[in-house]
């Protein structure tokens, strides 16, 4: 235990319960989550490597896609290994230090906010490509892409600063058992023994700012895209144009649907178990599905993957 000092927690470490309520199936769940984690790593690394090696994919859309893949790898890696250690009963697998807990929450929030901004940047890229094709080279130049990506990462890095600072000012003097598989804000607030109102207000405002700002850009971009597509009289051309946006729309729907449910809400959730299931979906399932969505919906990505991993490529023919 840490000494009793002002503005400092009394708790030196927390215990992550994870999915203790399904103890009889923990080995099955461990295998399932391990498989999903490995698939996420392989799929996203494949996207990064293929885009880097294939000159046909050296375009702004795929530049942003590699950044998204990097985020997905980090997003899962910050939570899943610790969860798997708890499943396997590794010494200290369910325990996490106070500093480690806040660090995990900071990184998870940082990556999540960055992904929101990046998806908005990708929507803007599609808007310019479809609605302003003659100005695409000027508006979405490589310099603009680098600046947009840097702004996404910097904005994501700044977003959790205030919430994590306010969390560090709370006192945790009672139970140290977190009913979750990672250090999420809501179960941590449930353990605090000091006033959490400022922290809850900051979380709500920050979550709303990130989600509403990024979703507004996405909605405005796709609103203009849909209007432009409706003006195309040739059905084949309209379908071809829409197909370039379908993968991004699917990813946005998966990501934002769960985030709006999880983070724009009050402190006390109706069902902790249900919240953990939703957390699994957006922190593990979605990062695994995103590369599949992009590769299956995009002929250029499929072609590049086929060329990169074909036998002829390995033989150097």
């Amino acid at each position: 235990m840490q000494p009793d000092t002002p503005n400092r927690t009394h708790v030196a470490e927390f215990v992550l319960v994870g999915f203790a309520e399904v103890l009889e199936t923990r080995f099955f769940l461990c295998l399932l989550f391990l498989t999903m984690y490995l698939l996420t790593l392989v799929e996203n690394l494949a996207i990064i490597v293929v885009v880097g090696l294939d000159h046909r994919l050296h375009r702004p859309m795929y530049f942003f896609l590699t950044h998204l893949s990097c985020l997905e790898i980090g997003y899962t890696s910050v939570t899943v290994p610790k969860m798997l250690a708890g499943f396997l009963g590794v010494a200290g697998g369910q325990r996490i230090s106070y500093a480690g807990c806040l660090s995990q929450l900071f990184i998870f929030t940082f990556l999540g906010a960055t992904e929101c901004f990046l998806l908005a940047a990708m929507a803007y890229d599609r808007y310019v490509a479809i609605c302003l094709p003659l100005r695409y080279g000027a508006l979405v130049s490589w310099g603009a892409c680098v600046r947009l990506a840097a702004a996404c990462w910097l904005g994501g890095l700044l977003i959790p600063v205030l919430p994590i600072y306010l969390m560090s000012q709370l006192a945790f003097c009672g139970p140290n058992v977190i009913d979750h598989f990672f250090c999420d804000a809501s179960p941590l607030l449930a353990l605090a023994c000091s006033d959490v109102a400022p922290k809850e207000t900051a979380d709500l405002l920050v979550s709303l700012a990130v989600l509403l700002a990024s979703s507004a850009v996405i909605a405005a971009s796709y609103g203009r895209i849909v209007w432009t597509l409706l003006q195309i009289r040739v059905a084949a051309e309209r379908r071809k144009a829409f197909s370039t946006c379908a993968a991004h729309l699917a990813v946005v729907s998966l990501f934002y649907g769960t985030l709006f449910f999880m983070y724009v809400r009050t402190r006390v959730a109706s069902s902790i178990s249900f919240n953990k299931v939703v957390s699994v979906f957006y922190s593990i399932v979605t990062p695994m599905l995103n590369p599949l969505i992009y590769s299956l919906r995009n002929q250029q990505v499929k072609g590049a993957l086929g060329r990169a991993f074909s036998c002829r490529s390995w033989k150097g023919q």
Side-chain angles (χ1 to χ4, degrees):
M1 305 292 283
Q2 296 178 351
D4 185 3
T5 56
N7 294 330
R8 189 171 178 84
T9 180
H10 300 179
V11 175
E13 64 178 13
F14 294 99
V15 177
L16 296 170
V17 172
F19 293 91
E21 65 271 19
V22 289
L23 187 61
E24 64 278 3
T25 59
R26 67 189 181 97
F27 290 112
F28 168 76
L29 288 177
C30 181
L31 181 61
L32 175 63
F33 290 140
L34 176 61
T35 301
M36 294 169 68
Y37 177 57
L38 293 177
L39 282 174
T40 300
L41 294 181
V42 171
E43 292 166 359
N44 284 286
L45 285 173
I47 294 270
I48 294 170
V49 170
V50 166
V51 172
L53 294 179
D54 196 317
H55 69 277
R56 300 174 184 85
L57 301 183
H58 290 177
R59 295 165 52 189
M61 181 172 67
Y62 303 109
F63 170 78
F64 290 125
L65 183 57
T66 59
H67 282 266
L68 181 63
S69 292
C70 290
L71 285 170
E72 305 289 27
I73 291 172
Y75 212 52
T76 53
S77 296
V78 76
T79 57
V80 177
K82 187 67 177 176
M83 179 179 65
L84 294 177
F87 272 125
L88 296 174
V90 176
Q94 289 185 301
R95 298 183 177 276
I96 185 169
S97 67
Y98 171 74
C101 190
L102 291 189
S103 297
Q104 187 185 54
L105 179 57
F106 180 92
I107 296 172
F108 191 81
T109 307
F110 155 50
L111 295 175
T114 303
E115 184 159 345
C116 287
F117 296 142
L118 186 65
L119 290 174
M122 295 173 75
Y124 170 75
D125 169 71
R126 291 299 83 205
Y127 156 70
V128 177
I130 293 175
C131 301
L132 305 170
L134 298 180
R135 301 179 59 192
Y136 185 78
L139 294 177
V140 193
S141 63
W142 279 111
C145 289
V146 171
R147 288 191 293 272
L148 270 174
C152 292
W153 285 94
L154 179 59
L157 184 64
L158 295 177
I159 285 298
V161 170
L162 177 60
I164 297 301
Y165 170 75
L166 293 176
M167 183 72 81
S168 70
Q169 301 306 297
L170 298 178
F172 296 90
C173 51
N176 67 336
V177 177
I178 299 176
D179 193 5
H180 214 300
F181 60 89
F182 72 98
C183 290
D184 200 5
S186 182
L188 269 175
L189 288 177
L191 300 179
C193 55
S194 56
D195 182 19
V196 300
K199 167 66 172 134
E200 287 183 318
T201 302
D203 282 352
L204 179 61
L205 293 178
V206 168
S207 299
L208 282 173
V210 173
L211 294 175
L212 292 181
S214 57
S215 60
V217 172
I218 293 171
S221 297
Y222 275 99
R224 292 295 302 273
I225 288 172
V226 170
W227 176 254
T228 300
L229 294 181
L230 291 176
Q231 309 307 307
I232 300 176
R233 297 186 177 182
V234 181
E237 291 183 5
R238 187 165 57 244
R239 285 195 299 271
K240 181 179 178 181
F242 182 75
S243 67
T244 65
C245 305
H248 184 252
L249 273 175
V251 169
V252 167
S253 300
L254 285 172
F255 187 74
Y256 278 85
T258 51
L259 280 187
F260 269 112
F261 173 82
M262 285 298 297
Y263 289 106
V264 185
R265 55 179 171 78
T266 58
R267 169 187 169 185
V268 180
S270 59
S271 172
I272 293 176
S273 296
F274 185 61
N275 285 344
K276 283 193 283 190
V277 172
V278 176
S279 296
V280 165
F281 194 85
Y282 72 76
S283 63
I284 303 176
V285 177
T286 301
M288 180 191 68
L289 292 179
N290 286 350
L292 293 176
I293 293 172
Y294 275 107
S295 61
L296 292 177
R297 294 288 308 180
N298 191 298
Q299 294 297 327
Q300 289 179 306
V301 174
K302 285 196 291 186
L305 286 169
R307 289 188 295 271
F309 296 103
S310 66
C311 294
R312 294 185 64 184
S313 296
W314 289 111
K315 293 176 181 178
Q317 297 179 358

